[in-house]
Amino acid sequence: MRLLDKTAIITGAGAGIGAATALLFCREGASVALVDADPVALNRTLEAIKLALPLARLFTHTADVSHEAEALAAVEKTLQTWGKLDILVNNASMRNYSALANATTADWHAMVGVNLIGCANYAKAALPALRSSGKGSIVNVASCYAVTGRKGMGLYDATKAAQLAMTRTLAFEEAAHGVRVNAVCPGSTLTDFHINKATAAGKDIEKLKTERQTTSLLGRWASPEEIAAPILWLASDEASFITGTSLMVDGGLSIM
Protein backbone atom coordinates (compact mmCIF):
# COMPACT_ATOMS: atom_id res chain seq x y z
CA MET A 1 0.00 0.00 0.00
CA ARG A 2 2.66 2.47 -1.10
CA LEU A 3 0.07 5.15 -1.93
CA LEU A 4 -2.24 4.62 1.03
CA ASP A 5 -4.34 7.75 1.69
CA LYS A 6 -2.97 9.44 -1.45
CA THR A 7 -5.17 10.89 -4.18
CA ALA A 8 -4.13 11.15 -7.81
CA ILE A 9 -5.21 12.44 -11.20
CA ILE A 10 -4.02 10.46 -14.22
CA THR A 11 -4.57 11.89 -17.69
CA GLY A 12 -4.73 9.61 -20.70
CA ALA A 13 -6.13 6.91 -18.44
CA GLY A 14 -8.37 5.33 -21.07
CA ALA A 15 -5.80 2.80 -22.24
CA GLY A 16 -2.16 1.77 -22.35
CA ILE A 17 0.28 3.25 -19.85
CA GLY A 18 -2.40 5.45 -18.25
CA ALA A 19 -4.76 2.54 -17.62
CA ALA A 20 -1.94 0.35 -16.26
CA THR A 21 -0.83 3.17 -13.96
CA ALA A 22 -4.38 3.70 -12.71
CA LEU A 23 -4.74 0.02 -11.82
CA LEU A 24 -1.37 -0.03 -10.05
CA PHE A 25 -2.13 3.15 -8.11
CA CYS A 26 -5.46 1.74 -6.94
CA ARG A 27 -3.77 -1.53 -5.97
CA GLU A 28 -1.30 0.50 -3.90
CA GLY A 29 -4.06 2.28 -1.99
CA ALA A 30 -4.61 5.52 -3.92
CA SER A 31 -7.89 7.17 -4.83
CA VAL A 32 -7.69 7.95 -8.55
CA ALA A 33 -9.40 10.34 -10.95
CA LEU A 34 -9.24 8.93 -14.49
CA VAL A 35 -9.10 11.58 -17.23
CA ASP A 36 -9.34 10.92 -20.97
CA ALA A 37 -10.97 12.41 -24.06
CA ASP A 38 -12.58 9.05 -24.92
CA PRO A 39 -15.51 8.21 -22.60
CA VAL A 40 -15.78 4.66 -23.93
CA ALA A 41 -12.13 3.96 -23.18
CA LEU A 42 -12.49 5.57 -19.76
CA ASN A 43 -15.41 3.33 -18.89
CA ARG A 44 -13.44 0.29 -20.07
CA THR A 45 -10.59 1.19 -17.71
CA LEU A 46 -13.02 1.88 -14.87
CA GLU A 47 -14.77 -1.48 -15.27
CA ALA A 48 -11.47 -3.38 -15.55
CA ILE A 49 -10.17 -1.84 -12.33
CA LYS A 50 -13.44 -2.48 -10.50
CA LEU A 51 -13.35 -6.09 -11.63
CA ALA A 52 -9.80 -6.53 -10.34
CA LEU A 53 -10.25 -4.35 -7.24
CA PRO A 54 -13.90 -4.10 -6.17
CA LEU A 55 -13.06 -1.67 -3.35
CA ALA A 56 -11.05 0.70 -5.53
CA ARG A 57 -11.87 4.40 -5.11
CA LEU A 58 -12.01 6.13 -8.48
CA PHE A 59 -14.10 8.19 -10.87
CA THR A 60 -13.87 9.23 -14.51
CA HIS A 61 -13.70 12.69 -16.07
CA THR A 62 -14.03 13.04 -19.83
CA ALA A 63 -11.92 15.92 -21.10
CA ASP A 64 -9.60 17.12 -23.84
CA VAL A 65 -6.49 18.06 -21.85
CA SER A 66 -5.87 21.07 -24.10
CA HIS A 67 -8.92 22.76 -22.51
CA GLU A 68 -7.88 24.66 -19.40
CA ALA A 69 -11.41 24.82 -17.97
CA GLU A 70 -11.67 21.03 -18.02
CA ALA A 71 -8.41 20.72 -16.11
CA LEU A 72 -9.77 23.02 -13.43
CA ALA A 73 -12.99 20.97 -13.37
CA ALA A 74 -11.06 17.71 -12.93
CA VAL A 75 -9.14 19.11 -9.98
CA GLU A 76 -12.27 20.59 -8.42
CA LYS A 77 -14.11 17.27 -8.75
CA THR A 78 -11.18 15.49 -7.10
CA LEU A 79 -11.16 17.92 -4.20
CA GLN A 80 -14.93 17.70 -3.78
CA THR A 81 -14.76 13.91 -3.76
CA TRP A 82 -11.69 13.26 -1.58
CA GLY A 83 -10.73 16.62 -0.11
CA LYS A 84 -7.17 16.73 -1.37
CA LEU A 85 -4.79 15.99 -4.23
CA ASP A 86 -1.31 14.51 -3.82
CA ILE A 87 -0.24 13.24 -7.25
CA LEU A 88 -0.63 14.32 -10.87
CA VAL A 89 0.41 12.03 -13.73
CA ASN A 90 0.48 13.88 -17.05
CA ASN A 91 0.21 10.95 -19.44
CA ALA A 92 -2.22 12.09 -22.16
CA SER A 93 -0.60 12.57 -25.57
CA MET A 94 -1.27 12.49 -29.29
CA ARG A 95 0.83 11.38 -32.26
CA ASN A 96 1.49 12.74 -35.74
CA TYR A 97 3.52 10.95 -38.39
CA SER A 98 4.23 13.91 -40.67
CA ALA A 99 7.81 14.66 -41.69
CA LEU A 100 8.83 18.05 -40.34
CA ALA A 101 9.09 19.36 -43.90
CA ASN A 102 5.42 18.51 -44.46
CA ALA A 103 3.88 19.42 -41.09
CA THR A 104 1.28 22.15 -41.19
CA THR A 105 0.71 24.90 -38.68
CA ALA A 106 -2.51 23.14 -37.67
CA ASP A 107 -0.51 19.94 -37.04
CA TRP A 108 1.84 21.82 -34.75
CA HIS A 109 -0.96 23.57 -32.87
CA ALA A 110 -2.74 20.27 -32.24
CA MET A 111 0.39 18.53 -30.97
CA VAL A 112 1.48 21.39 -28.75
CA GLY A 113 -2.08 21.78 -27.46
CA VAL A 114 -2.23 18.24 -26.11
CA ASN A 115 1.37 17.23 -25.41
CA LEU A 116 2.64 20.48 -23.93
CA ILE A 117 -0.22 22.85 -23.09
CA GLY A 118 -2.16 19.85 -21.77
CA CYS A 119 0.60 19.22 -19.22
CA ALA A 120 0.72 22.90 -18.36
CA ASN A 121 -3.06 23.06 -17.89
CA TYR A 122 -3.13 20.20 -15.40
CA ALA A 123 -0.02 21.31 -13.56
CA LYS A 124 -1.41 24.84 -13.16
CA ALA A 125 -4.81 23.56 -12.05
CA ALA A 126 -3.33 21.01 -9.62
CA LEU A 127 -0.49 23.01 -8.05
CA PRO A 128 -2.49 24.81 -5.32
CA ALA A 129 -3.75 21.46 -4.02
CA LEU A 130 -0.37 19.74 -4.51
CA ARG A 131 1.31 22.50 -2.49
CA SER A 132 -1.25 22.04 0.28
CA SER A 133 -0.51 18.32 0.32
CA GLY A 134 2.97 18.97 1.66
CA LYS A 135 4.33 16.05 -0.38
CA GLY A 136 2.91 16.76 -3.81
CA SER A 137 4.31 14.93 -6.82
CA ILE A 138 3.98 15.44 -10.58
CA VAL A 139 5.13 12.76 -13.03
CA ASN A 140 5.19 13.72 -16.70
CA VAL A 141 5.20 10.84 -19.17
CA ALA A 142 7.52 11.94 -21.97
CA SER A 143 9.44 9.63 -24.32
CA CYS A 144 12.94 8.28 -24.82
CA TYR A 145 12.75 9.99 -28.21
CA ALA A 146 12.79 13.31 -26.37
CA VAL A 147 16.56 12.79 -26.11
CA THR A 148 17.38 10.78 -29.24
CA GLY A 149 16.49 11.24 -32.89
CA ARG A 150 14.43 9.38 -35.46
CA LYS A 151 12.51 10.25 -38.58
CA GLY A 152 8.78 10.59 -39.09
CA MET A 153 7.64 11.73 -35.63
CA GLY A 154 9.38 15.07 -35.24
CA LEU A 155 6.31 16.88 -33.92
CA TYR A 156 5.75 14.28 -31.21
CA ASP A 157 9.42 14.13 -30.24
CA ALA A 158 9.77 17.91 -30.10
CA THR A 159 6.82 18.25 -27.73
CA LYS A 160 8.17 15.42 -25.58
CA ALA A 161 11.54 17.20 -25.37
CA ALA A 162 9.66 20.32 -24.30
CA GLN A 163 8.00 18.29 -21.54
CA LEU A 164 11.44 17.52 -20.12
CA ALA A 165 12.31 21.23 -20.11
CA MET A 166 8.99 21.94 -18.38
CA THR A 167 9.75 19.22 -15.84
CA ARG A 168 13.09 20.80 -14.92
CA THR A 169 11.64 24.31 -14.65
CA LEU A 170 8.68 23.19 -12.54
CA ALA A 171 11.05 21.29 -10.26
CA PHE A 172 12.97 24.53 -9.66
CA GLU A 173 9.84 26.60 -9.14
CA GLU A 174 7.95 24.20 -6.89
CA ALA A 175 10.72 22.86 -4.63
CA ALA A 176 10.04 25.63 -2.14
CA HIS A 177 6.40 24.52 -2.00
CA GLY A 178 7.20 20.85 -1.34
CA VAL A 179 6.16 19.65 -4.80
CA ARG A 180 8.47 17.27 -6.66
CA VAL A 181 8.36 17.14 -10.46
CA ASN A 182 9.87 14.30 -12.51
CA ALA A 183 9.51 12.68 -15.91
CA VAL A 184 9.47 9.11 -17.16
CA CYS A 185 10.73 8.48 -20.70
CA PRO A 186 9.30 5.21 -22.03
CA GLY A 187 10.75 3.32 -24.96
CA SER A 188 8.77 1.06 -27.29
CA THR A 189 5.72 0.01 -25.28
CA LEU A 190 3.14 -2.47 -26.57
CA THR A 191 -0.04 -0.56 -25.82
CA ASP A 192 -3.60 -0.83 -27.09
CA PHE A 193 -2.73 1.89 -29.62
CA HIS A 194 -0.15 -0.29 -31.35
CA ILE A 195 -2.30 -3.41 -31.15
CA ASN A 196 -5.35 -1.64 -32.61
CA LYS A 197 -3.25 -0.03 -35.33
CA ALA A 198 -1.80 -3.42 -36.31
CA THR A 199 -5.20 -5.09 -36.26
CA ALA A 200 -6.63 -2.39 -38.53
CA ALA A 201 -3.77 -3.01 -40.96
CA GLY A 202 -4.40 -6.77 -40.92
CA LYS A 203 -1.11 -7.52 -39.17
CA ASP A 204 -0.75 -10.63 -37.01
CA ILE A 205 -0.47 -9.61 -33.34
CA GLU A 206 1.98 -12.38 -32.49
CA LYS A 207 4.23 -11.10 -35.27
CA LEU A 208 3.85 -7.56 -33.91
CA LYS A 209 5.15 -8.73 -30.55
CA THR A 210 8.45 -9.77 -32.13
CA GLU A 211 9.07 -6.57 -34.07
CA ARG A 212 10.98 -4.30 -31.69
CA GLN A 213 14.07 -6.49 -31.29
CA THR A 214 16.40 -3.72 -32.48
CA THR A 215 14.92 -0.78 -30.61
CA SER A 216 16.28 -1.64 -27.17
CA LEU A 217 19.23 -3.47 -25.68
CA LEU A 218 16.73 -5.91 -24.21
CA GLY A 219 15.39 -6.70 -27.67
CA ARG A 220 11.66 -6.46 -27.01
CA TRP A 221 8.69 -4.22 -26.32
CA ALA A 222 7.95 -3.02 -22.81
CA SER A 223 4.56 -3.80 -21.33
CA PRO A 224 2.47 -0.89 -20.00
CA GLU A 225 2.94 -2.34 -16.52
CA GLU A 226 6.72 -1.97 -16.85
CA ILE A 227 6.25 1.76 -17.38
CA ALA A 228 3.62 2.09 -14.65
CA ALA A 229 6.00 0.74 -11.99
CA PRO A 230 8.57 3.57 -12.25
CA ILE A 231 5.74 6.10 -12.45
CA LEU A 232 4.46 4.69 -9.16
CA TRP A 233 7.91 4.93 -7.59
CA LEU A 234 8.50 8.54 -8.63
CA ALA A 235 5.00 9.49 -7.45
CA SER A 236 5.46 7.83 -4.06
CA ASP A 237 7.24 9.08 -0.96
CA GLU A 238 9.96 6.50 -1.66
CA ALA A 239 11.33 8.99 -4.21
CA SER A 240 11.18 11.87 -1.72
CA PHE A 241 14.70 13.15 -2.58
CA ILE A 242 14.22 13.01 -6.35
CA THR A 243 13.04 15.99 -8.37
CA GLY A 244 13.85 17.40 -11.80
CA THR A 245 14.84 13.93 -13.03
CA SER A 246 14.08 12.36 -16.40
CA LEU A 247 14.09 8.59 -15.89
CA MET A 248 14.81 6.56 -19.02
CA VAL A 249 12.56 3.47 -19.08
CA ASP A 250 13.55 2.37 -22.55
CA GLY A 251 15.41 -0.92 -22.30
CA GLY A 252 18.62 0.94 -23.12
CA LEU A 253 17.44 2.48 -26.41
CA SER A 254 18.78 5.92 -25.52
CA ILE A 255 22.38 4.65 -25.29
CA MET A 256 22.36 2.58 -28.48
Side-chain angles (χ1 to χ4, degrees), residues 17-37:
I17 292 169
T21 302
L23 175 60
L24 183 57
F25 274 30
C26 288
R27 184 171 284 135
E28 293 292 336
S31 303
V32 181
L34 311 173
V35 177
D36 201 284

Side-chain angles (χ1 to χ4, degrees), residues 70-238:
E70 286 299 327
L72 292 167
V75 171
E76 182 60 28
K77 186 174 180 180
T78 302
L79 296 176
Q80 288 177 351
T81 303
W82 295 308
K84 62 173 187 164
L85 176 62
D86 305 288
I87 299 164
L88 168 65
V89 178
N90 276 317
N91 172 68
S93 67
M94 68 176 295
R95 293 172 171 85
N96 183 297
Y97 297 95
S98 299
L100 289 177
N102 301 327
T104 67
T105 300
D107 290 335
W108 277 107
H109 284 171
M111 290 293 292
V112 170
V114 172
N115 292 2
L116 190 57
I117 295 175
C119 285
N121 284 341
Y122 276 78
K124 182 179 180 181
L127 276 171
L130 293 175
R131 291 169 177 174
S132 296
S133 167
K135 293 183 177 180
S137 177
I138 297 175
V139 182
N140 296 321
V141 181
S143 169
C144 64
Y145 290 106
V147 299
T148 187
R150 59 177 168 174
K151 63 180 181 180
M153 288 192 71
L155 283 75
Y156 179 88
D157 297 347
T159 55
K160 291 299 180 176
Q163 284 182 358
L164 300 189
M166 180 183 292
T167 297
R168 293 189 293 269
T169 300
L170 267 179
F172 265 105
E173 293 179 349
E174 293 304 317
H177 302 290
V179 180
R180 296 182 300 105
V181 189
N182 294 288
V184 165
C185 297
S188 300
T189 307
L190 190 58
T191 63
D192 303 313
F193 173 84
H194 294 289
I195 292 172
N196 294 338
K197 185 180 177 184
T199 300
K203 183 180 292 185
D204 180 72
I205 299 303
E206 292 306 312
K207 182 177 184 299
L208 174 69
K209 292 178 180 179
T210 68
E211 285 187 350
R212 293 301 177 102
Q213 295 179 1
T214 61
T215 59
S216 76
L217 292 179
L218 301 181
R220 62 174 177 82
W221 294 87
S223 70
E225 290 74 19
E226 288 178 300
I227 312 301
I231 293 173
L232 165 69
W233 180 65
L234 285 174
S236 77
D237 292 341
E238 292 175 9

Side-chain angles (χ1 to χ4, degrees), residues 10-55:
I10 301 174
T11 69
I17 292 169
T21 302
L23 175 60
L24 183 57
F25 274 30
C26 288
R27 184 171 284 135
E28 293 292 336
S31 303
V32 181
L34 311 173
V35 177
D36 201 284
D38 184 344
V40 175
L42 269 181
N43 188 64
R44 191 160 50 238
T45 298
L46 178 72
E47 293 303 320
I49 293 175
K50 284 185 174 180
L51 182 63
L53 303 168
L55 299 181

